[in-house]
Amino acid sequence: MRCVLVLLDTLRRNNLRCYNPETRVQTPNIDAFAAESCTFDEHWIGSAPCMPARRDIMCGRLNFLERGWGPIEPFDVTLPALLRDHGVYTHITTDHCHYMRTGGEGYLQLFNTWDYHRGQEGDPWVSRIDDPANMPGTFYGRVRRQYQLNRGRWPREEDMPSPQTFQSACEWLDDNADADDFFLMVEAFDPHEPFDVPERYMDLYGGGEGLDRDYFEIPQYKRVSEAEVPAEAVDYVQRRYDALVTCCDHWFGTLMDKLRERGIFDDTLVMLTTDHGYFLGERDFLGKNYMPLYNELAHLPLLVHYPGGARAGERASQITQNIDVMPTVLDLAGIPVPEEVQGVSLMSLATDPSAPTRDYALFGYHAMDVNITDGRYTYMRAPVPSNEPCFEYAAIPTTIRRYLGADRPADIECGRFLARTDWPVFKVPVDRPGIIDQSDDALKEVSDTRLFDLAVDYAQLDDLTSHDDPAAKEAEGRMVGLLLRAMDECDAPAEQYERLGLGGAA
């Protein structure tokens, strides 16, 4: 059993030609890979953003109903650990800096070996007391002093962290291509912001023209109108993102070339996907986290090259999520899927195009609205105005760059609150979503319940909850029933129903 999982952070589905033939983005290597793979058309986000999505992948179950951003818990049953226990060698190479921060503990250590390439975003790597000489004088969005220090260590494209990640994966394959049982995870932080990209890729999209300031690589997570970013700058940052996708495509191509060079591409399961999308000015939004999980964020790419080339060039219409990665790999390896895993294996689709997967995708950010799609409708259930009761459950009470409940420790309880484990956990009251850090009104954008019919309104412009007709009311009632069933099947804590104004569990 050989499996390679490639995760490109913040890869927008609409920028890939296999999903959007009209895109201007040049991705010849991903295009070629799609022609040799099965393209999944109904692949949806699970837990958002970065680390919650990774816990989904590692554990095969949804993170966001119980907690937000956080580490691997001591009671988690994980894909790398199960593979190791059954003699499958596991390795991850990555430049994803959040693994090294408070709130990212325990992920890399699951693997037999891991390789980390430094410098992305605010990675505290290059140590200088004085400010860097390359700080821009004028800019839109944000500038990270630490990143400006770090980027001075990359005189060439191949020295940058994501290219280093792909080169490291190629070197690992050179050393281990003759092995029969391995799981290789290749996780690039790009095309996540900062949209730092060599000029040769920017030249494909008009170069640096059109920006009236020195720098725009890190958008603020705000509405375009609130951030006071003009249309010319929005166009510029869109081109930077597109250029970075093309850069990622180039290095993804080196990995695929290496698999072919070593003669193992044909019989290896290779999956390419992402954790979430991103807004680059659409709907007046920049960034992620604070707005509803519209399709720009929630509808994701998934390309699967099955061993032997099964389903090459075909498309799958079944609903899938990243929680399906774990059972798929376990199925390939002949390892029983643990009962607590909520995902389903996609291996049956290699031989049966009509094989069932699931009839819904449940997704969201912790402590915000809860969303569900059946492939036809997307229902976004807003919390009650108080957003209470709301708790996070954790045995390791860390979250992004801080500790859970540090502002109100006297209100934290400890007990056996999770039915699937005997481990005691902290029950931490939540005043506001932990991933909202650039807004004084954390729930402003998700205070309304929404319903969209994707068959006629993929752009999600016509909210059916505002319609006073029987068909819309019937659709909403059906989606409420599906949401209740899904929350029950996915072990939602009891207070989630009350927080969403849904009464008791199904």
Side-chain angles (χ1 to χ4, degrees):
M1 172 323 276
R2 297 188 183 100
C3 178
V4 177
L5 172 63
V6 181
L7 193 67
L8 298 178
D9 198 300
T10 318
L11 181 63
R12 288 162 41 113
R13 182 184 193 269
N14 199 49
N15 289 73
L16 300 181
R17 184 160 283 104
C18 55
Y19 290 105
N20 175 22
E22 304 304 316
T23 183
R24 69 180 177 186
V25 183
Q26 300 178 37
T27 54
N29 294 293
I30 294 176
D31 296 346
F33 179 69
E36 297 183 85
S37 305
C38 184
T39 299
F40 284 75
D41 287 324
E42 292 294 334
H43 190 62
W44 294 88
I45 200 170
S47 305
C50 301
M51 296 316 296
R54 281 152 184 79
R55 191 166 177 233
D56 282 6
I57 291 171
M58 298 294 186
C59 300
R61 58 182 292 122
L62 294 172
N63 169 93
F64 82 95
L65 292 169
E66 293 177 354
R67 67 165 301 160
W69 188 292
I72 290 293
E73 295 284 6
F75 50 81
D76 283 343
V77 177
T78 67
L79 172 62
L82 283 171
L83 292 173
R84 291 179 63 178
D85 290 347
H86 287 82
V88 178
Y89 197 92
T90 62
H91 179 73
I92 182 172
T93 178
T94 183
D95 60 317
H96 190 89
C97 51
H98 295 307
Y99 286 127
M100 295 297 173
R101 291 193 171 122
T102 299
E105 301 89 349
Y107 290 84
L108 300 183
Q109 293 80 6
L110 295 170
F111 292 80
N112 289 96
T113 50
W114 52 273
D115 201 357
Y116 174 58
H117 308 280
R118 299 205 63 175
Q120 286 282 19
E121 205 179 51
D123 180 15
W125 179 36
V126 176
S127 183
R128 296 287 186 275
I129 295 174
D130 294 335
D131 283 339
N134 60 354
M135 289 293 286
T138 61
F139 54 89
Y140 291 105
R142 294 177 290 158
V143 176
R144 287 189 174 94
R145 176 187 180 277
Q146 183 63 59
Y147 187 73
Q148 294 301 112
L149 286 169
N150 293 347
R151 72 195 306 176
R153 292 284 185 92
W154 308 320
R156 305 172 303 163
E157 177 181 336
E158 53 266 38
D159 299 322
M160 300 175 76
S162 284
Q164 283 284 319
T165 295
F166 281 106
Q167 290 172 93
S168 168
C170 291
E171 292 166 4
W172 191 90
L173 288 170
D174 277 333
D175 291 339
N176 297 284
D178 294 335
D180 290 327
D181 291 305
F182 67 73
F183 173 71
L184 171 62
M185 186 167 175
V186 184
E187 185 184 338
F189 193 63
D190 290 338
H192 190 291
E193 82 272 9
F195 305 130
D196 183 4
V197 60
E199 288 304 310
R200 74 184 184 105
Y201 299 103
M202 277 299 290
D203 290 342
L204 299 173
Y205 302 96
E209 298 301 318
L211 190 69
D212 63 349
R213 300 190 184 182
D214 298 323
Y215 178 98
F216 190 19
E217 293 182 9
I218 308 175
Q220 291 178 291
Y221 289 4
K222 291 184 177 182
R223 283 186 172 269
V224 176
S225 52
E226 294 175 359
E228 299 182 349
V229 178
E232 294 80 5
V234 172
D235 175 72
Y236 173 83
V237 81
Q238 289 173 350
R239 289 188 284 115
R240 289 205 72 87
Y241 176 86
D242 293 348
L244 190 52
V245 171
T246 298
C247 178
C248 291
D249 176 81
H250 168 76
W251 290 101
F252 173 78
T254 66
L255 179 63
M256 296 302 101
D257 289 345
K258 180 59 67 174
L259 288 168
R260 293 184 178 91
E261 174 192 322
R262 302 300 308 196
I264 58 175
F265 177 78
D266 289 343
D267 63 356
T268 297
L269 177 69
V270 184
M271 294 181 282
L272 171 64
T273 191
T274 189
D275 47 1
H276 52 71
Y278 198 84
F279 277 99
L280 287 167
E282 301 87 358
R283 305 177 192 269
D284 194 40
F285 291 133
L286 288 170
K288 61 190 182 198
N289 295 355
Y290 61 96
M291 71 286 284
L293 279 164
Y294 290 116
N295 288 340
E296 290 90 342
L297 286 170
H299 203 186
L300 307 182
L302 172 64
L303 304 175
V304 178
H305 173 267
Y306 286 108
R311 303 290 306 281
E314 297 182 22
R315 307 189 81 93
S317 60
Q318 289 89 340
I319 295 174
T320 58
Q321 296 184 273
N322 277 350
I323 57 174
D324 300 330
V325 169
M326 178 182 185
T328 299
V329 178
L330 293 178
D331 191 3
L332 178 71
I335 300 171
V337 177
E339 183 177 348
E340 69 178 54
V341 169
Q342 296 166 347
V344 296
S345 172
L346 306 182
M347 285 307 299
S348 60
L349 287 167
T351 54
D352 181 4
S354 62
T357 53
R358 63 179 74 252
D359 60 356
Y360 64 80
L362 185 69
F363 55 94
Y365 295 101
H366 183 266
M368 295 180 71
D369 55 353
V370 174
N371 313 268
I372 191 165
T373 183
D374 62 358
R376 167 73 184 272
Y377 293 93
T378 293
Y379 184 60
M380 304 174 174
R381 182 77 181 198
V384 299
S386 66
N387 201 28
E388 294 178 341
C390 189
F391 302 96
E392 293 199 56
Y393 298 89
I396 303 174
T398 59
T399 188
I400 181 169
R401 302 183 182 93
R402 61 184 178 85
Y403 291 94
L404 285 175
D407 55 339
R408 48 187 299 187
D411 298 325
I412 299 174
E413 301 177 69
C414 187
R416 290 177 173 83
F417 298 114
L418 300 180
R420 73 176 185 280
T421 179
D422 289 330
W423 275 82
V425 295
F426 295 103
K427 183 179 181 181
V428 183
V430 174
D431 293 321
R432 57 183 278 139
I435 45 85
I436 302 293
D437 62 1
Q438 296 184 44
S439 173
D440 294 331
D441 187 354
L443 297 177
K444 176 176 66 175
E445 300 288 358
V446 295
S447 59
D448 295 324
T449 293
R450 298 172 172 87
L451 175 67
F452 301 102
D453 183 351
L454 303 185
V456 297
D457 181 32
Y458 183 80
Q460 296 172 301
L461 300 176
D462 184 16
D463 178 7
L464 297 183
T465 64
S466 64
H467 289 213
D468 190 22
D469 65 81
K473 298 298 182 185
E474 188 276 332
E476 182 173 8
R478 186 159 41 80
M479 293 306 289
V480 169
L482 184 60
L483 176 60
L484 285 166
R485 188 192 115 206
M487 290 175 62
D488 186 52
E489 291 176 350
C490 294
D491 301 328
E495 72 273 4
Q496 285 280 6
Y497 300 88
E498 184 177 351
R499 184 183 74 89
L500 296 172
L502 291 172

